[in-house]
Amino acid sequence: MNATGVGFPRTVLGFAVLFSLAAATIFARSGQQQAVPGPADLLLVNGRVYTLDASRPWAEAIAIGGDRITAVGSMAEIQRLAGEGTRVIDLAGGFALPGFNDAHVHVDSTGALLVGVNLLDVHEPEAFAERIRDAAGRLPAGSWITRGEWGAYEQWAAGSAGAARSGAVAGPFTPGRDLIDAVTPGHPVFVNRFDRSLYLANSLALKLAGIDERTPNPEAGEIVKDANGRPTGILKGAAASLVRRVIPPISFEQRVTQVEAVLAEAREGGVTTIQDLTSGAQLRAYQHLHRRGDLTARFMLRPTLDRVVHAAALGVSRGFGDDWLRFIGYKTWVDGIMGSSGAMFFEPYDHDPGNKGLLRDIMRPEGREGAAMSMTAAQKYTDFPPGNLERLLDQAVESGIPPHVHAIGDKGNRIILDVYEKLLAAHGLTDRDHRWRVIHAQVLHPDDFQRFGRLKLVAEVNPYHVSDDMRWMEERIGRERSRGAYAFRRLKDAGAVLIFGSDSPGTNAARYFLNPMYGLYAAVSRQTLTGEPKEGWFPDQRLTIEEAIEAYTKAPAWASFEEAEKGVLAPGMLADIAVFDTNLIEVGGSDPSRLLKARVRYTIAGGRIVFER
Ligand SMILES: [Zn+2]
């Protein structure tokens, strides 16, 4: 199998027919005789074009007609295609490559963070008040300011490799409503500390919730009061639900505004496809923007696996949709996350000896109560009677939409590998072109790497997790287990198809950026943003810049069955292109820190220039 697995045979006939519709109207695919294109709408000339097309890896210019690439070649070859109405852009040596395809974005929470308030890196009063004031300036009066997740970098600063804690902090920072009331007279505020141990409401939010001096503490909760008996705004435990229940769901207009904010960020980062976790409310917002012609990145849709019954009944199968909105998978989760020590392991966490992580609700009821919790490394999860996960996945296979399943801890990964192995065999798919995914594949038991190759699985990984998470990884799971963490080289060598996602906006304990430069940097350097540790964290797991770019462009298109549409710059492909001021291949190989300074000059989606610096 070659690096992206593009060598898998396309065995499903219906699928070939789907793509031939698009192919027939444009130009012949690579390897066949190409039609001679007429005058182009847009020419990009004088660039360093990194095509990811094995038959022509580098070029100088690109011709675009409508929403497709019509030709890629030398200056002489392409300039001939200029006609009367052709726009010609001189890239002046700029670096062009396929638009980035981010395989893992939480669009709703990224939008909420961009439009609302981000307090993850805040743990002192001035910055706290300032961020809240800025959010109030962005949001119409009356709308709620929620989440925030303050204090996530209080113990370990961003850029720390974890050797030393930032130490200076005396105790957890605890804000009060007095800090923000003056800047939020018209906005109710209900934000939380990253670990949900504390919530802060401003005076308006307390009033709307009916909380005052006389309100008694609910059972298992506390309304914190000052020496005079006045609520400080801090709520703990069950007291938070007194406010939560009066917060209205966000309006359709606000949802659209949030998606627009994500699209703006994507354009600025050269991202032209976003693989999302998609709710019904999100899809309605996407369709609204699509009808208006305002989509500037393509959304690949992944409803949650519990929707399989309804989607299958409606006849929704793989590839349903169009070039801008398309169903590509069912998303579900086995276990929790590292940030809150919820990822599921065979052995307890080093810093929390009573804890081995947890299962997500969708796993319940299991085949036998507690089967996963009691399973040892020597047993197979599928030796127990089938649980909810297995039953739902079985239905997904029937519907033809492949599963994309989140697994983080070594046991979480073992569970999904056991279930995949069993179901692939039961449906006769093991040697077929199924492209099933394990999302994150974050910490693997040494015995499990080879299974990715044997089962032909896609590993949807998040390289920037390395840069951020290393601040606490070894304290939580120790050096030995960390060898199997974010082990991209081992996964690739084992035969997994690696695809990259940002996991934007992160978790309640970490901020992950949509800008692909962070992911490329992390994959090739395995360092924090400040260059720690000098030799890289488990440096033998580094990827080359060529491999990293492939995992962010060509491979995710393949993993979504869209390799005939995008992911390489070649005639007939969608004209989704990013142009940078920096040669990413060159600096990625010589000085990865310069990736972080690379700036997009143009983003082109479907032949349209959607961003220009
Ligand atoms: Zn995620």
Side-chain angles (χ1 to χ4, degrees):
M1 187 177 70
N2 71 16
T4 59
V6 173
F8 286 168
R10 194 190 293 166
T11 50
V12 183
L13 185 64
F15 168 59
V17 170
L18 185 76
F19 281 117
S20 69
L21 289 174
T25 56
I26 318 292
F27 301 106
R29 303 292 171 194
S30 48
Q32 296 167 24
Q33 194 68 41
Q34 282 175 17
V36 178
D41 295 322
L42 176 64
L43 297 185
L44 307 176
V45 300
N46 192 23
R48 292 161 203 231
V49 181
Y50 185 62
T51 66
L52 283 97
D53 178 357
S55 69
R56 181 170 215 157
W58 290 92
E60 296 170 329
I62 305 169
I64 295 164
D67 67 347
R68 301 267 166 175
I69 294 170
T70 56
V72 176
S74 66
M75 289 290 281
E77 288 168 322
I78 300 303
Q79 273 172 328
R80 268 189 313 210
L81 304 173
E84 205 141 296
T86 304
R87 179 175 176 191
V88 180
I89 296 180
D90 183 352
L91 299 181
F95 177 87
L97 80 170
F100 285 99
N101 184 333
D102 188 328
H104 194 111
V105 181
H106 300 265
V107 176
D108 61 343
S109 34
T110 303
L113 197 73
L114 291 172
V115 175
V117 68
N118 170 14
L119 301 169
L120 278 158
D121 59 338
V122 172
H123 44 264
E124 52 86 34
E126 291 75 28
F128 191 93
E130 196 179 298
R131 296 270 178 99
I132 298 273
R133 187 196 61 210
D134 291 349
R138 282 192 295 273
L139 292 165
S143 42
W144 283 73
I145 298 170
T146 58
R147 309 201 228 201
E149 326 279 4
W150 82 79
Y153 293 87
E154 191 168 49
Q155 279 188 311
W156 295 276
S160 157
R165 292 184 179 220
S166 50
V169 181
F173 163 65
T174 304
R177 66 183 162 124
D178 295 346
L179 188 59
I180 55 170
D181 272 350
V183 295
T184 53
H187 293 82
V189 177
F190 184 61
V191 291
N192 56 270
R193 188 175 153 79
F194 76 98
D195 58 6
R196 315 284 203 271
S197 61
L198 301 173
Y199 291 77
L200 175 69
N202 68 350
S203 292
L204 181 53
L206 290 178
K207 189 171 151 212
L208 291 169
I211 297 174
D212 61 21
E213 290 87 334
R214 295 177 306 276
T215 312
N217 286 332
E219 206 172 315
E222 183 187 356
I223 301 164
V224 177
K225 291 172 182 160
D226 64 17
N228 303 316
R230 291 174 60 248
T232 65
I234 289 289
L235 305 168
K236 296 181 184 175
S241 55
L242 299 175
V243 178
R244 203 180 284 120
R245 69 186 183 203
V246 302
I247 303 176
I250 68 164
S251 66
F252 180 74
E253 289 70 26
Q254 186 167 345
R255 204 171 273 282
V256 170
T257 302
Q258 291 179 358
V259 177
E260 287 172 327
V262 176
L263 287 170
E265 182 124 320
R267 292 194 289 274
E268 205 170 317
V271 176
T272 52
T273 295
I274 287 172
Q275 304 189 21
D276 182 33
L277 165 65
T278 315
S279 68
Q282 284 295 110
L283 182 53
R284 279 190 287 279
Y286 299 158
Q287 290 175 90
H288 174 76
L289 289 165
H290 191 17
R291 281 192 287 269
R292 275 192 353 206
D294 286 343
L295 287 182
T296 56
R298 307 170 191 281
F299 288 112
M300 300 297 111
L301 313 168
R302 308 197 277 189
T304 52
L305 180 63
D306 55 318
R307 303 289 181 203
V308 63
V309 187
H310 311 291
L314 290 170
V316 175
S317 66
R318 188 183 71 213
F320 181 74
D322 62 19
D323 290 339
W324 291 96
L325 299 175
R326 192 190 296 289
F327 284 95
I328 60 160
Y330 283 116
K331 164 104 191 250
T332 194
W333 299 258
V334 173
D335 59 351
I337 61 170
M338 283 303 303
S340 54
S341 304
M344 196 173 185
F345 287 92
F346 288 111
E347 301 300 327
Y349 284 87
D350 289 27
H351 72 304
D352 186 3
N355 180 22
K356 294 182 181 180
L358 53 84
L359 283 182
R360 292 296 180 92
D361 285 345
I362 199 161
M363 297 283 293
R364 300 174 205 288
E366 287 188 80
R368 176 167 68 70
E369 191 69 37
M373 300 314 288
S374 63
M375 180 183 113
T376 67
Q379 289 173 304
K380 268 190 165 308
Y381 179 72
T382 44
D383 289 343
F384 303 108
N388 206 33
L389 175 72
E390 196 178 319
R391 276 194 296 268
L392 288 171
L393 285 176
D394 204 50
Q395 293 179 58
V397 178
E398 300 292 342
S399 82
I401 297 185
H404 297 180
V405 181
H406 160 124
I408 298 217
D410 57 12
K411 194 190 233 179
N413 278 283
R414 173 70 58 83
I415 288 172
I416 194 58
L417 290 169
D418 284 351
V419 174
Y420 273 4
E421 184 164 25
K422 179 177 172 184
L423 289 180
L424 285 168
H427 291 272
L429 290 171
T430 309
D431 295 315
R432 302 283 292 275
D433 186 15
H434 54 75
R435 309 187 198 185
W436 290 14
R437 297 192 199 179
V438 178
I439 298 178
H440 304 305
Q442 203 166 93
V443 186
L444 294 176
H445 189 282
D447 296 347
D448 286 332
F449 283 92
Q450 295 304 323
R451 300 176 78 186
F452 276 81
R454 207 169 68 234
L455 299 176
K456 294 200 180 86
L457 297 175
V458 175
E460 179 190 315
V461 300
N462 318 96
Y464 184 65
H465 286 185
V466 178
S467 291
D468 195 274
D469 296 2
M470 78 168 83
R471 62 197 155 109
W472 36 247
M473 277 305 279
E474 289 183 59
E475 176 173 317
R476 289 184 183 172
I477 61 167
R479 183 85 185 160
E480 213 35 54
R481 281 187 288 184
S482 291
R483 287 184 201 286
Y486 321 98
F488 305 144
R489 172 61 59 201
R490 270 169 91 180
L491 271 166
K492 204 171 168 62
D493 287 350
V497 177
L498 283 188
I499 67 172
F500 281 178
S502 63
D503 205 6
S504 168
T507 67
N508 57 315
R511 173 83 160 106
Y512 304 136
F513 303 91
L514 194 58
N515 184 331
M517 293 308 104
Y518 289 88
L520 294 182
Y521 167 77
V524 302
S525 75
R526 296 184 70 93
Q527 291 175 322
T528 68
L529 293 182
T530 54
E532 296 296 319
K534 287 281 165 280
E535 65 287 2
W537 192 68
F538 296 101
D540 56 337
Q541 297 303 311
R542 285 191 197 123
L543 299 180
T544 66
I545 184 65
E546 289 85 355
E547 290 169 329
I549 286 177
E550 182 171 292
Y552 231 141
T553 53
K554 187 177 181 177
W558 178 87
S560 308
F561 292 90
E562 290 195 297
E563 71 273 27
E565 300 293 308
K566 58 187 161 188
V568 304
L569 301 179
M573 293 285 175
L574 288 166
D576 292 357
I577 302 164
V579 181
F580 282 79
D581 64 1
T582 303
N583 184 328
L584 304 180
I585 293 288
E586 202 174 280
V587 303
S590 58
D591 180 7
S593 69
R594 285 179 58 198
L595 290 168
L596 297 170
K597 299 187 194 96
R599 291 290 170 267
V600 171
R601 281 173 34 194
Y602 298 95
T603 301
I604 296 167
R608 193 156 64 92
I609 298 167
V610 296
F611 176 81
E612 188 169 353
R613 194 177 296 277

